[in-house]
Amino acid sequence: MISTSVDTAVRGDENIRCNQLSQYRSRVPRNADGEETEFENGDTEQDPEPSEDEIPEETLVDTEIEEQVEVTNVNTAISQCPVENGVLLSQWGAFSAGPVLTGIAAGLSPQTVTTRELLALSRVVGRSQRQQQSFQVDNRWAATLAGDLSEVALRQGSAANRNIAVGASGTFNSTLIPRWYFLRQREFFEMTDAEIRGGIDGLIMGLNAVEWRNRFNAIKLSQVLDMYYSHRGVFERRFRACNRNTLFPEVAPVEQLRAQTTAFSTVLDKDMQLRVTLTPNGIQAFSDSAVESLSSYVPQSLNDPSCAVTAIRPNDENIWRTSADLFIFLDTSWPFFEINGVVAHLLHNLDVNRFGTSYTIMNAVDGSIIVNKTNSLSDLYAIWNLTTHQAHPQGVEFPRLLPTLQTLMANQLDHERAASSVGGRSKIVLIIPNMSGVSGADSDFADERLRAMREIAPDMELFFLSGGTATRWNRFVRNPRTHIHQL
């Protein structure tokens, strides 16, 4: 999760997977017959070599070749939609976890070191003597934006006739179980959209880490991340992920970003295996170009949802949290790998924690426990698996569930009465049937039993997330339009 890498190998599923990546398709070079073609010099078309008259007096790249390496039998084919590793999904765009964590770690121990000191530690001691000017390297910048921009400047700047570009958008394979993050392009992987978001987030939190620790010295990393990636913000509304684009020019001024990128590029150049030697002027020029590219890319192309768009209620500054006791009755005739993602997605959006929502998963035939009452999402994955799923009877016997449900409601009321907390938490019952239904006689009996139960627990809300024809459950709910949903 922490390491960021891009797997460009051809997987064999590109015809299916890559065509599912939203409306933005990767552009693949093809010949007149529609077949894919590969450029001879890699994946990008090379411009013709300039004539002697076109070569500027001062070149940014020395003609000295660092190292000649002969490579044979290497597959240079690149997938139409490469996989980026180390990416996490959030409501405000996918981000790389590595720059976030390293930024916070650097922020808790901020250091400023000169490039002369760093070059003195370089394994290429002889080359370090060529450095004429000393810069200041801030570890918080090097761990986040400046570090990635230095890689962009050195790798792309050293490639002849190539404009420096940042950003590579992508999407996850699924919103329910996001496991694979696919990029929509086949080049410019040095600083992807996820790395840009992670770099900005890491820099914001890194620059404020000491202040937050001083305000509350017992604060935990999980608490900082939970507050930042929510509408609450870290101690104040400014510091939150949905405000990332607004904070970017404030925390990363262009001049400071240029200085830090140039400084770290000077150090990184000595340890990167480039095919050419970059002059100091070349390093600075390429670093400036990379910074300009990022400064224009973030406001123009990083179109993440804003705080106002993702708010529960428009222009509402209140913080809304879910606090409920959720009872899920599951029809195990659903294939496990289909229904597991649905339930997981639901719980991840219900604020499950010890101060928020608790949940219980039971079998929809006899009410036996699948996952006992808990307020931890990890229990969902630790307890409910394919083996336990298949061990329970399949189907839905709604009339048989009602006595179990009535007992649950009575026990819940007794517990709240003893704790003097009656009426504090919502009671939600969710039944997830597949194709099962209820016969006419059983339906009448269930309807009468349900009416009697609602007199005991009037605040109980019954919902159905149903496969097949969902209208067969209409008579059991208060409002079919809001309480019954098709799956």
Side-chain angles (χ1 to χ4, degrees):
M1 182 188 76
I2 298 178
S3 300
T4 299
S5 62
V6 177
D7 185 359
T8 61
V10 176
R11 302 179 302 275
D13 65 344
E14 279 76 7
N15 289 337
I16 299 175
R17 180 63 62 187
C18 299
N19 289 334
Q20 298 174 347
L21 303 185
S22 184
Q23 58 181 331
Y24 301 100
R25 307 293 174 81
S26 57
R27 301 185 64 181
V28 182
R30 301 178 185 274
N31 58 22
D33 298 327
E35 299 175 348
E36 291 186 23
T37 60
E38 295 291 340
F39 295 120
E40 294 181 359
N41 295 327
D43 192 49
T44 57
E45 185 177 9
Q46 300 293 328
D47 294 332
E49 293 292 332
S51 63
E52 294 182 359
D53 297 335
E54 295 174 336
I55 299 178
E57 295 181 0
E58 180 183 1
T59 59
L60 302 179
V61 180
D62 288 349
T63 56
E64 172 190 353
I65 301 298
E66 288 297 316
E67 186 177 3
Q68 295 289 348
V69 180
E70 183 178 356
V71 181
T72 58
N73 298 326
V74 176
N75 183 8
T76 59
I78 297 178
S79 172
Q80 295 180 32
C81 49
V83 174
E84 183 177 1
N85 301 309
V87 181
L88 299 179
L89 177 64
S90 78
Q91 192 176 359
W92 302 280
F95 66 95
S96 294
V100 173
L101 298 179
T102 55
I104 296 174
L108 292 173
S109 299
Q111 297 178 0
T112 301
V113 186
T114 64
T115 54
R116 292 187 186 276
E117 294 177 280
L118 293 174
L119 290 172
L121 301 175
S122 174
R123 57 185 176 86
V124 190
V125 179
R127 292 175 56 194
S128 65
Q129 304 301 322
R130 301 175 57 184
Q131 174 65 26
Q132 301 295 325
Q133 185 178 1
S134 181
F135 301 97
Q136 299 285 334
V137 178
D138 189 318
N139 66 333
R140 296 169 296 183
W141 288 82
T144 54
L145 289 180
D148 286 328
L149 283 174
S150 297
E151 184 181 358
V152 172
L154 296 177
R155 290 193 180 278
Q156 296 187 22
S158 62
N161 303 318
R162 190 175 188 180
N163 294 326
I164 291 181
V166 300
S169 62
T171 186
F172 277 98
N173 63 314
S174 170
T175 55
L176 297 181
I177 307 180
R179 292 180 177 173
W180 303 101
Y181 186 74
F182 298 98
L183 296 175
R184 297 191 180 101
Q185 62 191 54
R186 310 173 76 193
E187 58 181 351
F188 303 130
F189 302 136
E190 290 82 7
M191 195 172 190
T192 64
D193 284 10
E195 289 180 292
I196 293 174
R197 296 188 188 98
I200 297 174
D201 293 347
L203 184 61
I204 292 172
M205 288 185 271
L207 294 176
N208 293 278
V210 173
E211 179 186 350
W212 294 340
R213 184 184 59 184
N214 292 338
R215 292 179 63 176
F216 187 69
N217 58 12
I219 192 171
K220 300 178 181 178
L221 174 62
S222 60
Q223 293 172 319
V224 173
L225 296 176
D226 180 59
M227 289 187 289
Y228 184 82
Y229 292 100
S230 71
H231 280 284
R232 303 191 304 279
V234 186
F235 295 121
E236 54 183 291
R237 292 296 184 89
R238 290 179 62 240
F239 301 116
R240 47 182 176 167
C242 62
N243 207 31
R244 177 191 299 127
N245 287 15
T246 304
L247 288 174
F248 172 65
E250 178 183 336
V251 299
V254 174
E255 290 303 320
Q256 189 173 6
L257 189 55
R258 283 177 180 169
Q260 288 297 320
T261 302
T262 301
F264 193 71
S265 295
T266 303
V267 178
L268 186 62
D269 173 55
K270 310 308 176 186
D271 289 318
M272 290 192 71
Q273 295 181 354
L274 302 176
R275 294 185 61 84
V276 296
T277 300
L278 300 179
T279 65
N281 290 339
I283 293 176
Q284 183 166 2
F286 295 143
S287 298
D288 291 346
S289 180
V291 170
E292 291 175 4
S293 180
L294 178 66
S295 299
S296 60
Y297 185 85
V298 171
Q300 295 177 9
S301 302
L302 209 63
N303 299 318
D304 298 324
S306 64
C307 299
V309 171
T310 55
I312 296 178
R313 294 183 178 180
N315 302 319
D316 188 353
E317 292 297 323
N318 292 318
I319 299 174
W320 295 87
R321 304 293 297 268
T322 303
S323 180
D325 292 313
L326 176 62
F327 303 94
I328 301 175
F329 290 90
L330 179 66
D331 181 356
T332 55
S333 65
W334 285 103
F336 172 75
F337 293 105
E338 291 183 12
I339 200 62
N340 175 262
V342 174
V343 175
H345 180 72
L346 174 68
L347 294 178
H348 273 278
N349 287 276
L350 284 180
D351 215 0
V352 173
N353 59 73
R354 61 175 179 166
F355 303 109
T357 298
S358 67
Y359 65 94
T360 307
I361 302 179
M362 292 165 282
N363 179 254
V365 173
D366 55 9
S368 57
I369 299 294
I370 298 177
V371 178
N372 208 350
K373 184 176 181 179
T374 179
N375 49 36
S376 173
L377 284 172
S378 60
D379 290 341
L380 176 71
Y381 304 100
I383 300 174
W384 183 29
N385 52 43
L386 179 61
T387 302
T388 57
H389 183 82
Q390 294 177 341
H392 288 269
Q394 298 182 358
V396 175
E397 294 188 13
F398 188 56
R400 186 178 173 185
L401 290 179
L402 294 179
T404 302
L405 186 57
Q406 185 171 356
T407 302
L408 285 173
M409 293 297 105
N411 292 340
Q412 187 71 18
L413 288 172
D414 291 341
H415 174 74
E416 291 180 350
R417 189 180 297 110
S420 300
S421 60
V422 177
R425 299 167 66 89
S426 303
K427 300 174 183 61
I428 308 297
V429 178
L430 174 64
I431 300 178
I432 310 180
N434 190 356
M435 303 303 294
S436 302
V438 183
S439 64
D442 288 341
S443 180
D444 293 336
F445 170 78
D447 190 32
E448 293 179 4
R449 189 69 179 264
L450 196 57
R451 291 176 185 273
M453 188 187 309
R454 283 180 173 141
E455 294 181 0
I456 301 175
D459 58 341
M460 181 195 73
E461 293 290 343
L462 178 62
F463 291 83
F464 286 88
L465 184 60
S466 175
T469 305
T471 54
R472 66 186 186 274
W473 307 103
N474 281 6
R475 67 179 300 182
F476 303 116
V477 298
R478 290 190 173 100
N479 186 348
R481 294 183 59 185
T482 58
H483 288 59
I484 295 180
H485 300 274
Q486 184 84 33
L487 181 58

